């Protein structure tokens, strides 16, 4: 059995082919490509070419060629599935279990659809009269309308059934809404909105999928931030807020901030390489993800005692 195409593509795109092959071959840059001595046959004149834009390599001497998975298969003498697992581990990706009913894969796809529709709903509410309190909060915090749109920020209304009714009207079932964790079951078994009267921050993965949400209060209400629980589409320990933007910043470092608003304010100020974790402590999986895109991290947590302790842990 094989992994779905979207899983293979995620593994492929999550491993920089220049970094991978550069660990085995001494590469020299020439224009937009690289070349070096082929590791698959003996040669004295470089004929091994690497093309980052297409994520491929080709040797004009022996004819070896392919993508990053093909390279790892040959260089490490692995079969296809072993090479995929090798690269997934390197990138800190969690592969789905093989042999399970594809209904799980279909449910994951439905969850991603629900999340996308939910993000559109919350953003629409924010721009409507019923979301004025949320919009005013963001504006008072210094965010520009363009920034609000860029991050797809939203507002969950006071009623506990606004989102549920909207999504059910789109054809999603009660069980799917609960599985996506945009709804929770009441004592009677009916679903109701998980988030209400909160400003909403969609969490987006590297491929542009809305995978989860963070909901923040505008008062001293506890908890201050409420996050989506782990689902088939989301694992908190693997996620990083705004990495979908920061990875394309072109800067040589990443700024690790403490929360959503810190990151958004930094981006608005021109520091579009800012990111944040999704929990109280940086995880090993998040560190692996960060390491794929930079060799230098600036930790910019809060300066209070809790922030200093979190900084000390994150450095390790």
């Amino acid at each position: 059995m094989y992994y779905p195409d979207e899983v293979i593509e995620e593994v492929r795109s999550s491993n920089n082919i220049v970094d991978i092959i550069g660990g085995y071959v001494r590469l020299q840059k020439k224009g937009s490509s690289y070349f070096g001595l082929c590791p698959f046959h003996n040669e004295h004149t470089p004929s091994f070419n690497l093309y980052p834009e297409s994520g491929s390599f080709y040797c004009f001497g022996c004819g070896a060629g392919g993508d990053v998975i093909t390279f790892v298969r040959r260089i490490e003498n692995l079969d296809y599935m072993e090479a995929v697992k090798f690269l997934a581990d390197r990138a800190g990706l969690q592969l789905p279990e093989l042999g399970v009913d594809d209904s799980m894969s279909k449910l994951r796809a439905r969850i991603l659809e629900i999340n996308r529709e939910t993000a559109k709903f919350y953003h629409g509410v924010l721009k409507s009269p019923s979301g004025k309190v949320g919009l005013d909060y963001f504006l008072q915090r210094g965010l520009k309308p363009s920034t609000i749109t860029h991050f797809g920020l939203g507002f969950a209304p006071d009623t506990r059934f606004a989102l549920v009714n909207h999504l059910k009207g789109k054809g999603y079932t009660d069980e799917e809404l609960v599985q996506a964790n945009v709804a929770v079951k009441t004592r009677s078994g009916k679903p109701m909105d998980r988030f209400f009267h909160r400003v909403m921050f969609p969490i987006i993965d590297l491929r542009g999928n809305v995978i989860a949400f963070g909901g923040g209060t505008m008062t001293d209400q506890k908890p201050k931030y409420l996050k989506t629980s782990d689902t088939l589409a989301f694992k908190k320990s693997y996620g990083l807020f705004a990495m979908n933007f920061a990875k394309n910043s072109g800067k040589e470092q990443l700024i690790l901030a403490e929360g959503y608003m810190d990151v958004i304010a930094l981006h608005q100020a021109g520091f579009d390489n800012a990111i944040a974790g999704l929990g109280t402590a940086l995880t090993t999986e998040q560190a692996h993800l960060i390491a794929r895109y930079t060799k230098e991290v600036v930790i910019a947590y809060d300066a209070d005692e809790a922030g200093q302790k979190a900084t000390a842990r994150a450095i390790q």
Side-chain angles (χ1 to χ4, degrees):
M1 298 186 69
Y2 291 93
Y3 293 110
D5 290 344
E6 61 268 21
V7 173
I8 298 299
E9 181 54 37
E10 184 173 17
V11 170
R12 191 182 287 119
S13 63
S14 297
N15 284 275
N16 186 305
I17 194 169
V18 177
D19 291 343
I20 297 293
I21 294 181
Y24 301 90
V25 179
R26 186 173 181 178
L27 297 170
Q28 292 184 305
K29 199 170 192 303
K30 186 176 182 180
S32 61
S33 59
Y34 295 79
F35 69 98
L37 294 174
C38 180
F40 303 122
H41 78 286
N42 293 323
E43 63 176 11
H44 300 290
T45 302
S47 58
F48 180 91
N49 287 259
L50 171 58
Y51 309 102
E53 290 184 2
S54 62
S56 64
F57 71 93
Y58 184 76
C59 176
F60 288 93
C62 68
D67 60 8
V68 67
I69 299 175
T70 308
F71 181 86
V72 167
R73 282 183 68 184
R74 295 196 60 162
I75 201 74
E76 294 287 347
N77 193 28
L78 303 172
D79 66 26
Y80 186 82
M81 298 301 286
E82 289 172 336
V84 170
K85 291 176 181 176
F86 176 96
L87 290 168
D89 288 342
R90 183 185 182 277
L93 297 176
Q94 190 173 41
L95 292 172
E97 291 184 27
L98 289 174
V100 298
D101 192 332
D102 73 344
S103 61
M104 300 299 280
S105 178
K106 292 177 180 177
L107 177 56
R108 182 180 186 276
R110 291 285 281 182
I111 289 173
L112 291 175
E113 289 178 17
I114 288 169
N115 287 344
R116 183 174 64 248
E117 189 61 44
T118 297
K120 288 167 58 179
F121 174 80
Y122 286 147
H123 188 66
V125 172
L126 183 74
K127 296 295 182 71
S128 73
S130 60
K132 185 178 184 300
V133 62
L135 183 60
D136 288 346
Y137 172 82
F138 283 134
L139 295 175
Q140 288 165 9
R141 292 292 301 270
L143 298 189
K144 300 175 182 177
S146 59
T147 301
I148 292 170
T149 300
H150 180 65
F151 281 90
L153 304 183
F155 182 72
D158 292 344
T159 171
R160 297 304 300 266
F161 298 96
L163 177 65
V164 165
N165 291 338
H166 173 78
L167 292 173
K168 289 178 71 173
K170 295 285 184 178
Y172 299 106
T173 67
D174 291 358
E175 186 58 30
E176 287 173 336
L177 302 187
V178 172
Q179 289 288 337
N181 202 229
V182 298
V184 294
K185 285 185 178 179
T186 63
R187 290 180 180 177
S188 65
K190 292 179 58 178
M192 67 178 180
D193 296 359
R194 172 169 169 76
F195 301 97
F196 70 101
H197 197 65
R198 287 177 181 266
V199 287
M200 299 302 298
F201 303 84
I203 298 165
I204 301 170
D205 70 9
L206 300 179
R207 290 181 291 165
N209 295 313
V210 180
I211 55 173
F213 296 91
T217 64
M218 297 164 288
T219 62
D220 293 331
Q221 176 187 349
K222 301 295 182 181
K224 182 171 177 58
Y225 284 102
L226 187 64
K227 301 180 185 70
T228 301
S229 300
D230 284 359
T231 69
L232 287 176
F234 172 65
K235 295 291 182 290
K236 184 173 70 173
S237 62
Y238 285 78
L240 289 164
F241 181 69
M243 184 57 117
N244 58 308
F245 296 131
K247 69 183 178 67
N248 299 319
S249 70
K251 297 182 173 65
E252 294 183 357
Q253 60 184 205
L254 288 173
I255 300 171
L256 181 61
E258 194 161 314
Y260 309 124
M261 287 299 296
D262 297 332
V263 168
I264 294 170
L266 283 164
H267 277 247
Q268 183 171 275
F271 298 94
D272 58 353
N273 55 333
I275 58 174
L278 303 177
T280 54
L282 186 72
T283 67
T284 301
E285 294 85 0
Q286 289 166 339
H288 280 306
L289 178 58
I290 290 170
R292 281 163 38 195
Y293 294 98
T294 188
K295 292 182 172 63
E296 182 177 74
V297 179
V298 176
I299 301 179
Y301 289 165
D302 291 350
D304 58 15
E305 184 179 356
Q308 291 181 34
K309 289 181 177 178
T311 297
R313 290 194 300 269
I315 287 171
Q316 301 304 316

